Amino acid sequence: MAFAPDGRLFVCLQSGQVRVINKDGVLLANPFVTLSVDSNGERGLLGVAFDPNFASNHYVYLYYTVPGSPAHNRISRFTANGNVAAANSEFVLVDLDNLSNATNHNGGAIHFGPDGKLCAGVGDNANGANAQSLSNRLGKILRINSNGTIPPDNPRSFPGIAGSTSGANRAIWAVGLRNPFTFAFQPGTARLFINDVGQSHVGGN
């Protein structure tokens, strides 16, 4: 979920709806948008963010799982018209790598950094090798421009990882993640804190 600059709260439901709670705490009857999503396991509608210039351009960004064989995750931009998305306003920024049959580790968090770039947490699709590879965008933090293009100052290589990025993989900004399902920038800085997940539980009750 995310607060719009005007105080409304936009809440993602995994099943594909974005619901709006107004500034008085009232859940509005009509969804902002209803998407067709694959919501199996940890898939579905997973992230929402507002453009830094939302007050003038009314752009809302969503991260969701597109159904298909195979399915894949997508980041799209919608234009708000009051409390609903304008009809046919979806603009696809990024179609991510095809997913395996594993339905967990999709990531889904999206936030604008202090530099005005959109960052996205993408899970490793339950395959740890993805996080250590620069040949796909799984298990990574991505950094893109608000129109979906890739900033030229993204790193091309990473310590301890073979090779360098090219093509769509130039969006990679950080590697080695399992399922960065949420993250946040420390206010007033460019420091990023990521919530990731572990492999197994060790210890007593």
Side-chain angles (χ1 to χ4, degrees):
M1 62 185 181
F3 280 100
D6 57 23
R8 291 175 296 165
L9 181 61
F10 283 52
V11 181
C12 292
L13 302 185
Q14 185 182 1
S15 57
Q17 287 189 341
V18 178
R19 302 299 301 272
V20 180
I21 300 172
N22 70 16
K23 290 176 282 187
D24 297 319
V26 176
L27 176 65
L28 302 185
N30 295 322
F32 173 75
V33 70
T34 300
L35 302 176
S36 175
V37 303
D38 179 342
S39 60
N40 289 307
E42 297 172 4
R43 297 175 178 177
L45 176 56
L46 303 175
V48 56
F50 293 92
D51 194 280
N53 298 311
F54 176 78
S56 57
N57 62 27
H58 312 298
Y59 290 159
V60 180
Y61 300 78
L62 299 176
Y63 182 119
Y64 68 96
T65 311
V66 179
S69 298
H72 68 277
N73 288 309
R74 169 181 288 172
I75 303 170
S76 283
R77 185 182 75 199
F78 296 79
T79 303
N81 179 18
N83 292 311
V84 298
N88 302 313
S89 67
E90 180 175 11
F91 175 77
V92 177
L93 274 71
V94 177
D95 277 314
L96 295 169
D97 304 72
N98 287 336
L99 298 170
S100 71
N101 290 330
T103 60
N104 57 333
H105 293 191
N106 289 276
I110 51 174
H111 298 287
F112 279 90
D115 60 0
K117 308 301 184 185
L118 181 62
C119 291
V122 183
D124 68 4
N125 193 206
N127 180 356
N130 286 329
Q132 302 296 324
S133 170
L134 299 184
S135 65
N136 65 64
R137 292 162 290 173
L138 302 169
K140 316 291 196 303
I141 297 290
L142 308 181
R143 177 176 177 262
I144 61 174
N145 295 313
S146 60
N147 62 0
T149 59
I150 298 173
D153 60 342
N154 278 359
R156 297 296 299 267
S157 60
F158 298 84
I161 306 292
S164 60
T165 59
S166 62
N169 298 327
R170 288 281 292 113
I172 296 171
W173 188 65
V175 301
L177 296 158
R178 184 171 168 82
N179 188 32
F181 62 101
T182 62
F183 65 86
F185 286 93
Q186 182 179 10
T189 77
R191 192 179 189 191
L192 183 63
F193 289 81
I194 304 168
N195 289 323
D196 207 344
V197 299
Q199 170 71 29
S200 58
H201 174 73
V202 178
N205 293 329

